[in-house]
Amino acid sequence: METVATSAPATSGPTEVESVTLDGPKDIEAGDNDGEQFFQVTAAVGKELRTLSPYDVAGGMRTLGQGIKDSATNNLTEGRDAFKALNVRDGWAGFTESADARKLVKAPLGVAQGLLALMFFTLFCVIFYPAKYGPPIAAKVNEKAIKPAVAVAKEKVVEPLMIKAGPLIEQGKSKLNEVLASKGVGVRQQVVAEEEDNL
């Protein structure tokens, strides 16, 4: 049997490594492995990730982006220098002698790393700036736009409606009292008491 080291879910203490024994391939199509272990591990990781604040995540994205950007810059520089050093004047023999495949591959690798760094910087911006500036902007919008609009709507719509609807509400209460009284339900005094409390 083969043993493979896997790391346990991230903890605040030192990283623990436990050994997992592979007991051979399982026939997933036959239902031998329903992925229960996978879901347990992802649930544990999800619980740990929920403890991070937006600032923690944004800081991690910025750090990852910066590290990858530095690698991309180095790889692009080496790749560019390797392309400049290619000898194309002496034919195929000169080209093959001057070509260093390991350095030439670094140019496209640097481009890919640059795109990856751009993705991490974009994630940083998408997470950090709304977390930092969103709540104060929302508070200002609420204070300057929403509360005055609600006050105006209340003054121009709700209060006139209540003035017009007031007699209808009183008429409905009196009809309700009449119906309750005709059925012998002793709620009449309660409804009248509630009316007096509202006045």
Side-chain angles (χ1 to χ4, degrees):
M1 285 192 209
E2 230 177 284
T3 55
V4 177
T6 60
S7 62
T11 60
S12 59
T15 306
E16 299 175 14
V17 177
E18 62 182 63
S19 179
V20 176
T21 304
L22 299 177
D23 49 345
K26 294 184 177 182
D27 189 3
I28 293 175
E29 292 174 346
D32 291 344
N33 186 351
D34 61 356
E36 182 179 338
Q37 181 67 26
F38 170 78
F39 292 113
Q40 289 174 353
V41 170
T42 54
V45 169
K47 286 179 185 176
E48 289 294 322
L49 288 176
R50 282 187 217 113
T51 63
L52 297 174
S53 74
Y55 298 109
D56 296 332
V57 176
M61 295 298 113
R62 192 181 88 220
T63 302
L64 284 170
Q66 186 64 43
I68 293 172
K69 181 190 79 77
D70 293 342
S71 294
T73 302
N74 291 339
N75 285 333
L76 282 171
T77 303
E78 285 185 42
R80 180 196 65 206
D81 293 342
F83 275 105
K84 284 183 177 179
L86 286 176
N87 182 2
V88 291
R89 293 188 186 121
D90 295 335
W92 185 251
F95 177 79
T96 55
E97 283 180 25
S98 63
D100 185 359
R102 287 186 183 186
K103 288 186 179 179
L104 289 172
V105 168
K106 289 189 176 186
L109 177 63
V111 170
Q113 287 175 324
L115 292 174
L116 189 61
L118 179 64
M119 182 190 74
F120 282 122
F121 283 127
T122 302
L123 287 172
F124 163 75
C125 292
V126 166
I127 295 168
F128 177 74
Y129 291 112
K132 183 174 182 181
Y133 298 111
I137 289 172
K140 284 288 186 188
V141 167
N142 187 29
E143 180 184 322
K144 301 286 184 180
I146 295 175
K147 283 184 180 178
V150 168
V152 167
K154 182 178 179 185
E155 180 183 321
K156 291 190 177 187
V157 176
V158 175
E159 289 175 359
L161 184 63
M162 290 306 293
I163 290 171
K164 291 180 181 178
L168 294 174
I169 293 172
E170 292 301 321
Q171 186 181 10
K173 285 182 182 178
S174 64
K175 291 280 187 188
L176 178 65
N177 283 335
E178 289 174 15
V179 169
L180 291 174
S182 68
K183 298 202 181 229
V185 178
V187 183
R188 180 180 170 91
Q189 288 87 13
Q190 182 181 355
V191 172
V192 171
E194 287 177 4
E195 287 177 349
E196 292 172 354
D197 290 340
N198 290 337
L199 296 175

